Amino acid sequence: MSVPEDEERLLPLVQRWPRASNFVLSGCAATVAELATFPLDLTKTRLQMQGEAALARLGENARESTPYRGMVRTALGIVQEEGFLKLWQGVTPAIYRHVVYSGGRMVTYEHLREVVFRKNEDKHYPLWKSVIGGMLAGVVGQFLANPTDLVKVQMQMEGKRKLEGKPLRFRGVHHAFAKILAEGGIRGLWAGWVPNVQRAALVNMGDLTTYDTVKHYLVLNTTLEDNIMTHSLSSFCSGLVASILGTPADVIKSRIMNQPRDKQGRGLLYKSSTDCLVQAVQGEGFMSLYKGFLPSWLRMTPWSLVFWLTYEKIREMSGVRPF
């Protein structure tokens, strides 16, 4: 055995398998962030389904009996009518989703930044490279995580179905996976993947690109160091930009994923993401694309804050250089 191989065996795991380590570390950080902010995600999803014009095609019984009004009343309604713990309904597939999604996007982005595009000699990473890298990272991460995202969205609506007197569709996470697979096959697990990937590309162009750009701008051009203050400012900016760019695609994604389907797994309300977009704007107005923006922003900002602070700290504790 050669000397380099012997030396490699003595290296910490995070240095021997950097990409696998980054996947695990980002998954841990995402889990913490998801648990802390999930009630806002549930509220956002319920708001996005409110007043869905396309439901009229399925008959009057398909309409909502008592639609929610606003973020606060939606959250209070869930607590009063379903129970406090229902604010975390669907959190298990959400954690599954973010372990895969965050791991995939972070590994992809860092690989593109360090190996494919590379920084300039002055350590500056051009904005156009960061934008492309962020979008590609979002596409890869979200495509891998689509089955778990599909289950999360559908389970978030189970409490509402119960209040409307409709039968529950799933007994739990694993039953949801099994039922979707049985009814729609493998293709059914990737229902809504197109708007999902489109949203992820926009969100990560806002999140990863903004965080990376703002952080390194502050470090290289101000007196701020690579510390918790810099991480907090960068994550606040990234959460705001990600919400503005991602909310319209998020509305379309949620509606396509939650629509009823036939035995072949085809949607009964929308033919495509474009069809959903057109129906939403024509039937409810342009601002329907920003339904749930407030809880989305209020969730995205603390989620981004918790994720980036946790991720940077875990990297530091594990001996990995800062993002």
Side-chain angles (χ1 to χ4, degrees):
M1 184 176 291
S2 64
V3 174
E5 291 179 345
D6 289 337
E7 291 179 352
E8 184 178 351
R9 281 178 168 272
L10 299 176
L11 293 174
L13 291 178
V14 293
Q15 295 182 28
R16 291 168 59 187
W17 299 304
R19 291 188 180 86
S21 299
N22 286 343
F23 187 97
V24 173
L25 294 179
S26 60
C28 292
T31 299
V32 174
E34 195 66 19
L35 287 171
T37 62
F38 188 79
L40 286 169
D41 186 55
L42 176 64
T43 303
K44 174 203 71 176
T45 301
R46 294 286 182 91
L47 280 169
Q48 289 173 344
M49 301 303 170
Q50 176 176 292
E52 194 169 359
L55 286 172
R57 295 212 313 267
L58 296 182
E60 290 298 318
N61 291 333
R63 293 179 181 270
E64 299 175 66
S65 56
T66 311
Y68 290 107
R69 302 294 182 189
M71 182 189 74
V72 176
R73 288 183 60 188
T74 298
L76 289 176
I78 293 171
V79 173
Q80 293 172 355
E81 299 165 5
E82 305 172 41
F84 178 74
L85 292 180
K86 290 299 182 180
L87 288 172
W88 280 269
Q89 181 163 316
V91 72
T92 302
I95 290 175
Y96 290 167
R97 181 249 181 184
H98 266 289
V99 168
V100 178
Y101 169 68
S102 293
R105 74 185 184 120
M106 298 305 293
V107 170
T108 301
Y109 184 82
E110 288 198 73
H111 178 75
L112 291 173
R113 186 182 65 181
E114 306 299 334
V115 179
V116 179
F117 294 139
R118 298 180 180 275
K119 296 181 180 179
N120 296 338
E121 294 182 0
D122 60 356
K123 301 299 182 182
H124 175 68
Y125 191 50
L127 179 61
W128 69 269
K129 291 183 179 180
S130 185
V131 168
I132 295 175
M135 294 184 72
L136 290 176
V139 168
V140 172
Q142 187 55 62
F143 184 78
L144 294 174
N146 197 80
T148 52
D149 203 18
L150 175 65
V151 171
K152 182 200 78 169
V153 169
Q154 296 202 7
M155 289 195 67
Q156 284 179 329
M157 299 304 295
E158 287 298 273
K160 186 178 178 183
R161 287 177 62 88
K162 184 176 181 180
L163 289 177
E164 293 174 348
K166 299 177 182 178
L168 297 182
R169 296 173 292 185
F170 313 116
R171 295 191 298 270
V173 176
H174 299 100
H175 177 247
F177 274 110
K179 185 174 181 181
I180 294 172
L181 184 61
E183 293 179 352
I186 295 295
R187 177 184 175 183
L189 290 174
W190 267 267
W193 74 269
V194 174
N196 225 359
V197 164
Q198 292 169 344
R199 172 191 177 271
L202 293 172
V203 167
N204 281 278
M205 183 173 67
D207 185 30
L208 284 173
T209 300
T210 303
Y211 181 85
D212 196 18
T213 301
V214 172
K215 175 187 171 182
H216 288 94
Y217 176 83
L218 293 175
V219 171
L220 295 175
N221 297 280
T222 71
T223 57
L224 292 176
E225 298 179 354
D226 194 345
N227 54 28
I228 189 171
M229 177 60 70
T230 302
H231 302 161
S232 299
L233 290 172
S234 303
S235 62
F236 178 83
C237 294
S238 68
L240 176 60
V241 176
S243 296
I244 293 173
L245 294 177
T247 297
D250 193 32
V251 171
I252 302 303
K253 176 212 72 170
S254 295
R255 291 188 173 191
I256 286 181
M257 285 187 155
N258 192 60
Q259 68 176 324
R261 299 182 177 277
D262 60 19
K263 293 182 179 180
Q264 284 72 43
R266 294 189 294 263
L268 299 178
L269 298 179
Y270 311 110
K271 299 176 182 178
S272 64
S273 56
T274 302
D275 181 42
C276 182
L277 172 66
V278 171
Q279 289 195 49
V281 173
Q282 290 181 344
E284 305 162 54
F286 176 78
M287 291 309 297
S288 66
L289 298 177
Y290 279 90
K291 283 185 176 180
F293 172 78
L294 182 58
S296 178
W297 175 57
L298 291 178
R299 176 184 184 264
M300 186 69 75
T301 298
W303 192 98
S304 183
L305 178 66
V306 174
F307 172 79
W308 286 112
L309 292 182
T310 304
Y311 185 52
E312 295 276 19
K313 190 61 178 179
I314 291 177
R315 288 174 70 105
E316 179 186 341
M317 294 171 61
S318 303
V320 181
R321 62 183 177 77
F323 181 79

